[in-house]
Amino acid sequence: MSRRAFLVGLGIMALLIFSLYRAKYGARDSADQIAEIEAEIDEAVSERMILLGELSHLSRQEWVEEYARNQLGMVPPRADQFIREQDLPHVLGPVDEMNVAGQDGEPGSARHGGER
């Protein structure tokens, strides 16, 4: 029986040594993965800071106005481009009632997309 107990004990010790070996290298692999993920996080934080800086720059009123003027050809409206609602018939001409009326003939239904 002592020989059998010795072999069982030896097998258990070998199993424990193998398990310790695997746990040690598994922990090393996990530490490497954690270091890679931390590096990715640092890179993402740096990229976020750059993007926030760009956003604050591109959101400035002066930059938007410059871009609209230079790239889109937009200019601030002139005073003569504004008209009051009461002056619309004088500027555009008389309103054709058939264009304003909807399919059902009710005035104003075309103006609101036919919804009531």
Side-chain angles (χ1 to χ4, degrees), residues 47-85:
E47 184 178 352
R48 179 181 179 268
M49 296 303 292
I50 290 170
L51 291 174
L52 285 174
E54 287 180 10
L55 176 66
S56 66
H57 171 71
L58 297 176
S59 297
R60 287 186 3 247
Q61 180 80 22
E62 298 84 24
W63 188 90
V64 172
E65 288 176 1
E66 178 183 336
Y67 183 83
R69 192 174 302 110
N70 295 337
Q71 300 296 322
L72 304 175
M74 298 174 77
V75 295
R78 297 181 314 269
D80 63 338
Q81 291 176 315
F82 290 100
I83 60 171
R84 296 183 318 202
E85 184 179 357

mmCIF file of all heavy atoms in Angstrom, residues 47-85:
data_model
loop_
_atom_site.group_PDB
_atom_site.id
_atom_site.type_symbol
_atom_site.label_atom_id
_atom_site.label_comp_id
_atom_site.label_asym_id
_atom_site.label_seq_id
_atom_site.Cartn_x
_atom_site.Cartn_y
_atom_site.Cartn_z
ATOM 1 N N GLU A 47 -6.684 60.452 -28.671
ATOM 2 C CA GLU A 47 -7.460 60.780 -29.872
ATOM 3 C C GLU A 47 -8.697 61.597 -29.500
ATOM 4 O O GLU A 47 -9.056 62.547 -30.204
ATOM 5 C CB GLU A 47 -7.865 59.504 -30.596
ATOM 6 C CG GLU A 47 -8.589 59.756 -31.885
ATOM 7 C CD GLU A 47 -8.941 58.468 -32.621
ATOM 8 O OE1 GLU A 47 -8.504 57.387 -32.208
ATOM 9 O OE2 GLU A 47 -9.679 58.560 -33.618
ATOM 10 N N ARG A 48 -9.324 61.262 -28.389
ATOM 11 C CA ARG A 48 -10.502 62.008 -27.936
ATOM 12 C C ARG A 48 -10.131 63.460 -27.632
ATOM 13 O O ARG A 48 -10.864 64.387 -27.981
ATOM 14 C CB ARG A 48 -11.096 61.347 -26.699
ATOM 15 C CG ARG A 48 -12.315 62.063 -26.153
ATOM 16 C CD ARG A 48 -12.848 61.361 -24.901
ATOM 17 N NE ARG A 48 -13.983 62.053 -24.372
ATOM 18 C CZ ARG A 48 -13.919 62.999 -23.442
ATOM 19 N NH1 ARG A 48 -12.750 63.348 -22.942
ATOM 20 N NH2 ARG A 48 -15.010 63.589 -23.010
ATOM 21 N N MET A 49 -9.000 63.653 -26.981
ATOM 22 C CA MET A 49 -8.564 65.012 -26.666
ATOM 23 C C MET A 49 -8.307 65.813 -27.943
ATOM 24 O O MET A 49 -8.668 66.988 -28.038
ATOM 25 C CB MET A 49 -7.304 64.986 -25.788
ATOM 26 C CG MET A 49 -7.529 64.366 -24.419
ATOM 27 S SD MET A 49 -8.840 65.165 -23.464
ATOM 28 C CE MET A 49 -8.101 66.730 -23.139
ATOM 29 N N ILE A 50 -7.708 65.176 -28.942
ATOM 30 C CA ILE A 50 -7.465 65.850 -30.221
ATOM 31 C C ILE A 50 -8.790 66.212 -30.874
ATOM 32 O O ILE A 50 -8.980 67.333 -31.363
ATOM 33 C CB ILE A 50 -6.613 64.954 -31.147
ATOM 34 C CG1 ILE A 50 -5.188 64.850 -30.600
ATOM 35 C CG2 ILE A 50 -6.603 65.483 -32.568
ATOM 36 C CD1 ILE A 50 -4.340 63.813 -31.298
ATOM 37 N N LEU A 51 -9.735 65.275 -30.880
ATOM 38 C CA LEU A 51 -11.035 65.531 -31.499
ATOM 39 C C LEU A 51 -11.806 66.624 -30.760
ATOM 40 O O LEU A 51 -12.485 67.442 -31.394
ATOM 41 C CB LEU A 51 -11.856 64.241 -31.559
ATOM 42 C CG LEU A 51 -11.334 63.180 -32.523
ATOM 43 C CD1 LEU A 51 -12.131 61.894 -32.379
ATOM 44 C CD2 LEU A 51 -11.367 63.683 -33.951
ATOM 45 N N LEU A 52 -11.709 66.659 -29.442
ATOM 46 C CA LEU A 52 -12.374 67.727 -28.687
ATOM 47 C C LEU A 52 -11.763 69.085 -29.015
ATOM 48 O O LEU A 52 -12.481 70.087 -29.119
ATOM 49 C CB LEU A 52 -12.294 67.454 -27.186
ATOM 50 C CG LEU A 52 -13.215 66.360 -26.658
ATOM 51 C CD1 LEU A 52 -12.930 66.081 -25.181
ATOM 52 C CD2 LEU A 52 -14.668 66.717 -26.868
ATOM 53 N N GLY A 53 -10.448 69.113 -29.187
ATOM 54 C CA GLY A 53 -9.791 70.358 -29.584
ATOM 55 C C GLY A 53 -10.255 70.819 -30.955
ATOM 56 O O GLY A 53 -10.530 72.003 -31.178
ATOM 57 N N GLU A 54 -10.332 69.859 -31.899
ATOM 58 C CA GLU A 54 -10.818 70.201 -33.240
ATOM 59 C C GLU A 54 -12.264 70.676 -33.186
ATOM 60 O O GLU A 54 -12.633 71.627 -33.880
ATOM 61 C CB GLU A 54 -10.697 69.002 -34.169
ATOM 62 C CG GLU A 54 -9.287 68.678 -34.575
ATOM 63 C CD GLU A 54 -9.211 67.473 -35.493
ATOM 64 O OE1 GLU A 54 -10.266 66.993 -35.963
ATOM 65 O OE2 GLU A 54 -8.096 67.012 -35.746
ATOM 66 N N LEU A 55 -13.082 70.019 -32.376
ATOM 67 C CA LEU A 55 -14.487 70.413 -32.265
ATOM 68 C C LEU A 55 -14.611 71.830 -31.727
ATOM 69 O O LEU A 55 -15.389 72.632 -32.257
ATOM 70 C CB LEU A 55 -15.245 69.446 -31.361
ATOM 71 C CG LEU A 55 -16.703 69.807 -31.085
ATOM 72 C CD1 LEU A 55 -17.520 69.720 -32.363
ATOM 73 C CD2 LEU A 55 -17.282 68.904 -30.019
ATOM 74 N N SER A 56 -13.838 72.138 -30.702
ATOM 75 C CA SER A 56 -13.933 73.495 -30.151
ATOM 76 C C SER A 56 -13.447 74.526 -31.163
ATOM 77 O O SER A 56 -14.008 75.618 -31.262
ATOM 78 C CB SER A 56 -13.155 73.603 -28.850
ATOM 79 O OG SER A 56 -11.770 73.451 -29.085
ATOM 80 N N HIS A 57 -12.433 74.171 -31.951
ATOM 81 C CA HIS A 57 -11.946 75.097 -32.980
ATOM 82 C C HIS A 57 -12.989 75.281 -34.082
ATOM 83 O O HIS A 57 -13.280 76.397 -34.508
ATOM 84 C CB HIS A 57 -10.637 74.583 -33.581
ATOM 85 C CG HIS A 57 -10.183 75.349 -34.778
ATOM 86 N ND1 HIS A 57 -9.696 76.636 -34.695
ATOM 87 C CD2 HIS A 57 -10.153 75.026 -36.089
ATOM 88 C CE1 HIS A 57 -9.392 77.063 -35.901
ATOM 89 N NE2 HIS A 57 -9.658 76.103 -36.766
ATOM 90 N N LEU A 58 -13.549 74.158 -34.552
ATOM 91 C CA LEU A 58 -14.499 74.227 -35.663
ATOM 92 C C LEU A 58 -15.862 74.762 -35.243
ATOM 93 O O LEU A 58 -16.668 75.129 -36.095
ATOM 94 C CB LEU A 58 -14.650 72.848 -36.308
ATOM 95 C CG LEU A 58 -13.382 72.291 -36.950
ATOM 96 C CD1 LEU A 58 -13.633 70.887 -37.472
ATOM 97 C CD2 LEU A 58 -12.882 73.190 -38.054
ATOM 98 N N SER A 59 -16.145 74.811 -33.960
ATOM 99 C CA SER A 59 -17.428 75.327 -33.488
ATOM 100 C C SER A 59 -17.408 76.826 -33.244
ATOM 101 O O SER A 59 -18.463 77.409 -32.976
ATOM 102 C CB SER A 59 -17.821 74.615 -32.178
ATOM 103 O OG SER A 59 -17.994 73.244 -32.408
ATOM 104 N N ARG A 60 -16.249 77.433 -33.320
ATOM 105 C CA ARG A 60 -16.162 78.875 -33.089
ATOM 106 C C ARG A 60 -16.953 79.629 -34.154
ATOM 107 O O ARG A 60 -16.943 79.272 -35.327
ATOM 108 C CB ARG A 60 -14.698 79.337 -33.141
ATOM 109 C CG ARG A 60 -13.892 78.946 -31.957
ATOM 110 C CD ARG A 60 -12.476 79.546 -31.972
ATOM 111 N NE ARG A 60 -12.205 80.430 -33.079
ATOM 112 C CZ ARG A 60 -11.335 80.172 -34.064
ATOM 113 N NH1 ARG A 60 -10.686 79.038 -34.070
ATOM 114 N NH2 ARG A 60 -11.140 81.033 -35.031
ATOM 115 N N GLN A 61 -17.639 80.660 -33.737
ATOM 116 C CA GLN A 61 -18.461 81.475 -34.636
ATOM 117 C C GLN A 61 -17.623 82.057 -35.772
ATOM 118 O O GLN A 61 -18.039 82.058 -36.923
ATOM 119 C CB GLN A 61 -19.131 82.599 -33.830
ATOM 120 C CG GLN A 61 -20.004 83.523 -34.641
ATOM 121 C CD GLN A 61 -21.364 82.929 -34.902
ATOM 122 O OE1 GLN A 61 -21.799 82.062 -34.175
ATOM 123 N NE2 GLN A 61 -22.025 83.380 -35.942
ATOM 124 N N GLU A 62 -16.418 82.535 -35.456
ATOM 125 C CA GLU A 62 -15.567 83.148 -36.478
ATOM 126 C C GLU A 62 -15.194 82.149 -37.559
ATOM 127 O O GLU A 62 -15.186 82.453 -38.747
ATOM 128 C CB GLU A 62 -14.285 83.720 -35.850
ATOM 129 C CG GLU A 62 -14.505 84.805 -34.838
ATOM 130 C CD GLU A 62 -14.807 84.235 -33.452
ATOM 131 O OE1 GLU A 62 -14.415 83.094 -33.159
ATOM 132 O OE2 GLU A 62 -15.476 84.945 -32.671
ATOM 133 N N TRP A 63 -14.864 80.907 -37.149
ATOM 134 C CA TRP A 63 -14.464 79.907 -38.125
ATOM 135 C C TRP A 63 -15.648 79.516 -39.018
ATOM 136 O O TRP A 63 -15.493 79.353 -40.223
ATOM 137 C CB TRP A 63 -13.910 78.660 -37.429
ATOM 138 C CG TRP A 63 -13.323 77.702 -38.416
ATOM 139 C CD1 TRP A 63 -12.044 77.667 -38.859
ATOM 140 C CD2 TRP A 63 -14.010 76.657 -39.119
ATOM 141 N NE1 TRP A 63 -11.879 76.677 -39.791
ATOM 142 C CE2 TRP A 63 -13.080 76.030 -39.964
ATOM 143 C CE3 TRP A 63 -15.316 76.184 -39.112
ATOM 144 C CZ2 TRP A 63 -13.408 74.964 -40.790
ATOM 145 C CZ3 TRP A 63 -15.636 75.125 -39.945
ATOM 146 C CH2 TRP A 63 -14.694 74.536 -40.774
ATOM 147 N N VAL A 64 -16.834 79.356 -38.413
ATOM 148 C CA VAL A 64 -18.027 78.996 -39.186
ATOM 149 C C VAL A 64 -18.330 80.081 -40.216
ATOM 150 O O VAL A 64 -18.616 79.793 -41.385
ATOM 151 C CB VAL A 64 -19.232 78.753 -38.250
ATOM 152 C CG1 VAL A 64 -20.515 78.581 -39.049
ATOM 153 C CG2 VAL A 64 -18.990 77.542 -37.373
ATOM 154 N N GLU A 65 -18.248 81.334 -39.800
ATOM 155 C CA GLU A 65 -18.512 82.433 -40.735
ATOM 156 C C GLU A 65 -17.478 82.462 -41.854
ATOM 157 O O GLU A 65 -17.817 82.648 -43.023
ATOM 158 C CB GLU A 65 -18.520 83.765 -39.985
ATOM 159 C CG GLU A 65 -19.732 83.962 -39.116
ATOM 160 C CD GLU A 65 -19.683 85.249 -38.314
ATOM 161 O OE1 GLU A 65 -18.699 86.021 -38.450
ATOM 162 O OE2 GLU A 65 -20.636 85.494 -37.552
ATOM 163 N N GLU A 66 -16.199 82.260 -41.518
ATOM 164 C CA GLU A 66 -15.146 82.260 -42.533
ATOM 165 C C GLU A 66 -15.343 81.109 -43.514
ATOM 166 O O GLU A 66 -15.224 81.272 -44.725
ATOM 167 C CB GLU A 66 -13.784 82.137 -41.856
ATOM 168 C CG GLU A 66 -12.626 82.091 -42.827
ATOM 169 C CD GLU A 66 -11.300 81.888 -42.116
ATOM 170 O OE1 GLU A 66 -11.200 82.219 -40.922
ATOM 171 O OE2 GLU A 66 -10.380 81.398 -42.771
ATOM 172 N N TYR A 67 -15.673 79.929 -43.001
ATOM 173 C CA TYR A 67 -15.891 78.766 -43.863
ATOM 174 C C TYR A 67 -17.096 79.003 -44.768
ATOM 175 O O TYR A 67 -17.046 78.725 -45.972
ATOM 176 C CB TYR A 67 -16.121 77.513 -43.016
ATOM 177 C CG TYR A 67 -16.285 76.262 -43.848
ATOM 178 C CD1 TYR A 67 -15.178 75.584 -44.304
ATOM 179 C CD2 TYR A 67 -17.547 75.784 -44.186
ATOM 180 C CE1 TYR A 67 -15.310 74.444 -45.078
ATOM 181 C CE2 TYR A 67 -17.688 74.645 -44.955
ATOM 182 C CZ TYR A 67 -16.567 73.981 -45.398
ATOM 183 O OH TYR A 67 -16.709 72.862 -46.174
ATOM 184 N N ALA A 68 -18.179 79.521 -44.220
ATOM 185 C CA ALA A 68 -19.387 79.777 -45.014
ATOM 186 C C ALA A 68 -19.097 80.794 -46.114
ATOM 187 O O ALA A 68 -19.564 80.651 -47.249
ATOM 188 C CB ALA A 68 -20.524 80.270 -44.122
ATOM 189 N N ARG A 69 -18.319 81.793 -45.802
ATOM 190 C CA ARG A 69 -18.013 82.830 -46.783
ATOM 191 C C ARG A 69 -17.059 82.303 -47.860
ATOM 192 O O ARG A 69 -17.310 82.443 -49.058
ATOM 193 C CB ARG A 69 -17.389 84.036 -46.073
ATOM 194 C CG ARG A 69 -17.280 85.275 -46.915
ATOM 195 C CD ARG A 69 -16.787 86.484 -46.124
ATOM 196 N NE ARG A 69 -17.662 86.795 -44.993
ATOM 197 C CZ ARG A 69 -17.330 86.614 -43.704
ATOM 198 N NH1 ARG A 69 -16.154 86.150 -43.371
ATOM 199 N NH2 ARG A 69 -18.184 86.905 -42.739
ATOM 200 N N ASN A 70 -15.968 81.640 -47.463
ATOM 201 C CA ASN A 70 -14.935 81.226 -48.413
ATOM 202 C C ASN A 70 -15.288 79.959 -49.178
ATOM 203 O O ASN A 70 -15.033 79.865 -50.376
ATOM 204 C CB ASN A 70 -13.601 81.028 -47.696
ATOM 205 C CG ASN A 70 -13.072 82.321 -47.127
ATOM 206 O OD1 ASN A 70 -13.417 83.403 -47.581
ATOM 207 N ND2 ASN A 70 -12.245 82.216 -46.107
ATOM 208 N N GLN A 71 -15.852 78.973 -48.511
ATOM 209 C CA GLN A 71 -16.104 77.676 -49.150
ATOM 210 C C GLN A 71 -17.500 77.560 -49.757
ATOM 211 O O GLN A 71 -17.679 76.889 -50.766
ATOM 212 C CB GLN A 71 -15.910 76.548 -48.130
ATOM 213 C CG GLN A 71 -14.525 76.488 -47.534
ATOM 214 C CD GLN A 71 -13.465 76.162 -48.575
ATOM 215 O OE1 GLN A 71 -13.692 75.368 -49.465
ATOM 216 N NE2 GLN A 71 -12.307 76.810 -48.460
ATOM 217 N N LEU A 72 -18.477 78.200 -49.141
ATOM 218 C CA LEU A 72 -19.860 78.052 -49.596
ATOM 219 C C LEU A 72 -20.382 79.284 -50.319
ATOM 220 O O LEU A 72 -21.479 79.257 -50.872
ATOM 221 C CB LEU A 72 -20.774 77.724 -48.409
ATOM 222 C CG LEU A 72 -20.389 76.480 -47.601
ATOM 223 C CD1 LEU A 72 -21.295 76.328 -46.402
ATOM 224 C CD2 LEU A 72 -20.425 75.239 -48.469
ATOM 225 N N GLY A 73 -19.620 80.362 -50.293
ATOM 226 C CA GLY A 73 -20.048 81.585 -50.968
ATOM 227 C C GLY A 73 -21.196 82.286 -50.270
ATOM 228 O O GLY A 73 -21.918 83.059 -50.896
ATOM 229 N N MET A 74 -21.374 82.030 -49.002
ATOM 230 C CA MET A 74 -22.469 82.649 -48.263
ATOM 231 C C MET A 74 -21.999 83.984 -47.691
ATOM 232 O O MET A 74 -20.834 84.157 -47.358
ATOM 233 C CB MET A 74 -22.926 81.732 -47.132
ATOM 234 C CG MET A 74 -23.458 80.392 -47.621
ATOM 235 S SD MET A 74 -23.823 79.273 -46.263
ATOM 236 C CE MET A 74 -25.354 79.962 -45.694
ATOM 237 N N VAL A 75 -22.906 84.921 -47.608
ATOM 238 C CA VAL A 75 -22.623 86.224 -47.020
ATOM 239 C C VAL A 75 -23.755 86.573 -46.058
ATOM 240 O O VAL A 75 -24.855 86.034 -46.177
ATOM 241 C CB VAL A 75 -22.496 87.323 -48.104
ATOM 242 C CG1 VAL A 75 -21.290 87.063 -48.984
ATOM 243 C CG2 VAL A 75 -23.743 87.415 -48.938
ATOM 244 N N PRO A 76 -23.506 87.451 -45.122
ATOM 245 C CA PRO A 76 -24.594 87.858 -44.219
ATOM 246 C C PRO A 76 -25.723 88.515 -45.029
ATOM 247 O O PRO A 76 -25.472 89.166 -46.049
ATOM 248 C CB PRO A 76 -23.935 88.867 -43.278
ATOM 249 C CG PRO A 76 -22.479 88.572 -43.351
ATOM 250 C CD PRO A 76 -22.236 88.061 -44.733
ATOM 251 N N PRO A 77 -26.959 88.337 -44.605
ATOM 252 C CA PRO A 77 -28.075 88.931 -45.351
ATOM 253 C C PRO A 77 -28.035 90.454 -45.281
ATOM 254 O O PRO A 77 -27.636 91.037 -44.280
ATOM 255 C CB PRO A 77 -29.323 88.380 -44.657
ATOM 256 C CG PRO A 77 -28.858 87.965 -43.307
ATOM 257 C CD PRO A 77 -27.426 87.599 -43.428
ATOM 258 N N ARG A 78 -28.455 91.053 -46.378
ATOM 259 C CA ARG A 78 -28.552 92.521 -46.430
ATOM 260 C C ARG A 78 -29.939 92.934 -45.950
ATOM 261 O O ARG A 78 -30.879 92.147 -45.937
ATOM 262 C CB ARG A 78 -28.339 93.002 -47.869
ATOM 263 C CG ARG A 78 -26.957 92.674 -48.421
ATOM 264 C CD ARG A 78 -26.789 93.206 -49.842
ATOM 265 N NE ARG A 78 -27.926 92.932 -50.721
ATOM 266 C CZ ARG A 78 -28.063 91.857 -51.489
ATOM 267 N NH1 ARG A 78 -27.123 90.933 -51.493
ATOM 268 N NH2 ARG A 78 -29.117 91.683 -52.255
ATOM 269 N N ALA A 79 -30.054 94.182 -45.575
ATOM 270 C CA ALA A 79 -31.325 94.687 -45.050
ATOM 271 C C ALA A 79 -32.429 94.617 -46.102
ATOM 272 O O ALA A 79 -33.593 94.366 -45.780
ATOM 273 C CB ALA A 79 -31.158 96.113 -44.557
ATOM 274 N N ASP A 80 -32.081 94.788 -47.384
ATOM 275 C CA ASP A 80 -33.117 94.772 -48.426
ATOM 276 C C ASP A 80 -33.623 93.362 -48.717
ATOM 277 O O ASP A 80 -34.578 93.179 -49.456
ATOM 278 C CB ASP A 80 -32.604 95.444 -49.706
ATOM 279 C CG ASP A 80 -31.422 94.704 -50.323
ATOM 280 O OD1 ASP A 80 -30.739 93.954 -49.584
ATOM 281 O OD2 ASP A 80 -31.190 94.876 -51.532
ATOM 282 N N GLN A 81 -32.987 92.325 -48.132
ATOM 283 C CA GLN A 81 -33.443 90.955 -48.343
ATOM 284 C C GLN A 81 -34.543 90.568 -47.352
ATOM 285 O O GLN A 81 -35.169 89.530 -47.525
ATOM 286 C CB GLN A 81 -32.267 89.983 -48.206
ATOM 287 C CG GLN A 81 -31.267 90.121 -49.339
ATOM 288 C CD GLN A 81 -30.063 89.222 -49.118
ATOM 289 O OE1 GLN A 81 -29.521 89.149 -48.026
ATOM 290 N NE2 GLN A 81 -29.654 88.552 -50.174
ATOM 291 N N PHE A 82 -34.771 91.363 -46.346
ATOM 292 C CA PHE A 82 -35.811 91.080 -45.361
ATOM 293 C C PHE A 82 -37.094 91.797 -45.775
ATOM 294 O O PHE A 82 -37.073 92.950 -46.183
ATOM 295 C CB PHE A 82 -35.401 91.595 -43.971
ATOM 296 C CG PHE A 82 -34.283 90.810 -43.359
ATOM 297 C CD1 PHE A 82 -32.983 91.284 -43.404
ATOM 298 C CD2 PHE A 82 -34.529 89.602 -42.737
ATOM 299 C CE1 PHE A 82 -31.946 90.569 -42.838
ATOM 300 C CE2 PHE A 82 -33.504 88.882 -42.166
ATOM 301 C CZ PHE A 82 -32.211 89.368 -42.218
ATOM 302 N N ILE A 83 -38.228 91.072 -45.673
ATOM 303 C CA ILE A 83 -39.530 91.705 -45.919
ATOM 304 C C ILE A 83 -40.495 91.231 -44.840
ATOM 305 O O ILE A 83 -40.308 90.175 -44.239
ATOM 306 C CB ILE A 83 -40.089 91.384 -47.317
ATOM 307 C CG1 ILE A 83 -40.289 89.873 -47.491
ATOM 308 C CG2 ILE A 83 -39.210 91.922 -48.399
ATOM 309 C CD1 ILE A 83 -41.035 89.536 -48.759
ATOM 310 N N ARG A 84 -41.495 92.011 -44.604
ATOM 311 C CA ARG A 84 -42.510 91.644 -43.624
ATOM 312 C C ARG A 84 -43.548 90.758 -44.298
ATOM 313 O O ARG A 84 -43.723 90.769 -45.515
ATOM 314 C CB ARG A 84 -43.181 92.902 -43.074
ATOM 315 C CG ARG A 84 -42.220 93.792 -42.313
ATOM 316 C CD ARG A 84 -42.933 94.972 -41.745
ATOM 317 N NE ARG A 84 -43.874 95.498 -42.752
ATOM 318 C CZ ARG A 84 -44.335 96.719 -42.766
ATOM 319 N NH1 ARG A 84 -43.975 97.565 -41.833
ATOM 320 N NH2 ARG A 84 -45.171 97.132 -43.685
ATOM 321 N N GLU A 85 -44.263 90.011 -43.527
ATOM 322 C CA GLU A 85 -45.286 89.113 -44.055
ATOM 323 C C GLU A 85 -46.387 89.899 -44.777
ATOM 324 O O GLU A 85 -46.907 89.454 -45.799
ATOM 325 C CB GLU A 85 -45.880 88.274 -42.930
ATOM 326 C CG GLU A 85 -46.886 87.246 -43.417
ATOM 327 C CD GLU A 85 -47.444 86.404 -42.288
ATOM 328 O OE1 GLU A 85 -47.028 86.563 -41.132
ATOM 329 O OE2 GLU A 85 -48.324 85.581 -42.579
#
